[in-house]
Amino acid sequence: MEWLQLLQRFFGDFVRGAGVTLELTAVGLLLGFVLGLLLALAKIYAPRWLSGIATAYIEIFRGTPLLVQLFLIYYGLPSLGITLSQTLSAYLALGLNSAAYQAEYLRGAIQAIGPSQMMAGRSIGLSRWQTIRHVILPQALRLALPSWSNEPISLLKTTAVVFLIAVQDLMAKAKRAATITYNPIGSYLAVAVVYLLMVFALNALLKWLERKTKIPGFDIDVKRV
Amino acid sequence: MSKPILTVKQLTKRYGSNTIFENIDLTVNEGDTIVIIGPSGTGKSTLLRCLNLLTKPDGGQIWLDELEITAKGTDEDHVRQHIGMVFQNFLLFNHLTALENVKLGLVRVKHMPEKEAETKALEELTRVGLADRAGHYPGQLSGGQQQRVGIARALAMDPRVMLFDEPTSALDPELIGEVLEVMRKLALDGMTMVVVTHEMGFAREVADRIVFMEKGSIVEEGSPDDLFYHPKYDRTREFLWKITELYGKKEAQT
């Protein structure tokens, strides 16, 4: 009974929280993808100094806790005269952090496609950039997809840390419900289920994307080369 | 009539202290089919890749028609669209259909409108006998078919000269014939070709000149008859007959 009452009372709250969590995931993932792709390309194709910067970025963001990065952005930046809202800080921290991980997934795939496809592209007169754009990336992104799929799933759950700077995500709503009702088990279990459902849905979406972008015989070929 | 299309003077390539080839002189005239033979590790493939600047030579000069392409400030991408290349491992774009493979350069390099590019690409596929495979991905094609798409992809750019880097070496014996047939037809149609191959049957029948390379230099070059029956060097005779024996059996099956 207590359960039903809790759900009844906080259902709207949880839905809004889940919405915020999904937004955080989507923005973080997108920002992370764009930046991660640039980092991966820089690491492989850019002149040494630039690829060095990319490597340093990746190492730093993968080597320090997301929470520290989040606090530096939200609490630290104001002392440099840059004050960002809670939501903006959360987007930025998640995106910058995710970029480092996505860069590594993408770098691996781009390198697996290898210099031979670059040579093939250049041989018909495509420029380096055209070959990257039209030959390497379409293959590398497909190749990266199965392992890259870990990142959206992982990011969705990682977003829970942002409640610590008072972003009203699903986790924040759970904490609120637990405080009001003195029922931590009920509250946290309820949002655990919501997280789980979102992960299932995201997983299905990723599997669909994988099927949709599949090229017949492509994976076999990559293994052979 | 015999206007030089490719002229190579004193071409040299080194990797560090390792000399791949040195002081290569070669002239490829319009309509010629030149076959380059020689033991592996002799620098034949590297030589081909230098010819279209996929690899930078360390010394010497190359002219495409009257243009020195080894000169500073040469637009390499522009040069390459006029020099077709066919690779040992086909190197088709694996995410594109046969038709799209051939079309990509037409649209992105020659800036041809979609429709026109599509028509042209289909023509080239027809030329290599693969119009009915236009919608297939490389992974759905046999090695021989993939290589013919590779040839069509290079041909589509209307190159001045075609370079073939051991085009049949990665193929099963029963698939070699279809690729050689396409190449034979090309040569008869007057395409200028430089072919690195061990297929001696092809060399004897189609080549205007055979170039024998060993240890980074040209040992001897001449007509197939000259090289097979009146070679200047014993080494040439030895290599030719050894390779004919080795590959002749394979060819007999095709």
Side-chain angles (χ1 to χ4, degrees), chain A residues 116-128 130-131 133-136 138-139 142 214-218 220-222 224-225, chain B residues 49 52 54 76-77 80-81 83-85 87 90-96 101 104-105 108-109 111 137-140 146 153-154 157:
Chain A
S116 58
Q117 286 285 316
M118 175 61 85
M119 192 159 70
R122 303 303 302 271
S123 81
I124 55 170
L126 292 172
S127 68
R128 206 162 121 101
Q130 279 181 315
T131 308
R133 161 87 180 70
H134 298 291
V135 177
I136 310 266
Q139 296 182 59
R142 284 182 172 88
K214 194 165 171 54
I215 299 285
F218 174 60
I220 300 163
D221 228 82
V222 166
R224 204 180 57 204
V225 169
Chain B
R49 277 173 206 175
N52 70 349
L54 279 178
E76 292 176 18
D77 299 328
R80 282 196 205 99
Q81 61 166 299
I83 305 182
M85 185 155 214
F87 300 92
F90 330 133
L91 303 189
L92 294 185
F93 307 131
N94 293 310
H95 62 303
L96 299 178
N101 261 277
L104 186 65
R108 299 292 165 190
V109 179
H111 305 291
Y137 287 95
Q140 300 172 305
Q146 287 189 57
R153 175 176 74 183
M157 305 305 288

Side-chain angles (χ1 to χ4, degrees), chain B residues 1 5 28-34 81-86 120 124 127 151-164 182-195 202 206-208:
Chain B
M1 168 60 211
I5 295 221
V28 183
N29 288 324
E30 188 156 32
D32 272 3
T33 298
I34 310 283
Q81 61 166 299
H82 297 292
I83 305 182
M85 185 155 214
V86 174
K120 166 101 170 140
E124 299 299 342
R127 201 161 153 191
I151 295 173
R153 175 176 74 183
L155 280 178
M157 305 305 288
D158 292 321
R160 298 285 291 142
V161 52
M162 288 273 286
L163 312 177
F164 293 83
V182 167
M183 291 168 62
R184 199 171 282 141
K185 217 169 70 192
L186 268 184
L188 289 178
D189 286 350
M191 175 58 74
T192 310
M193 298 169 36
V194 181
V195 185
F202 175 85
V206 181
D208 297 289

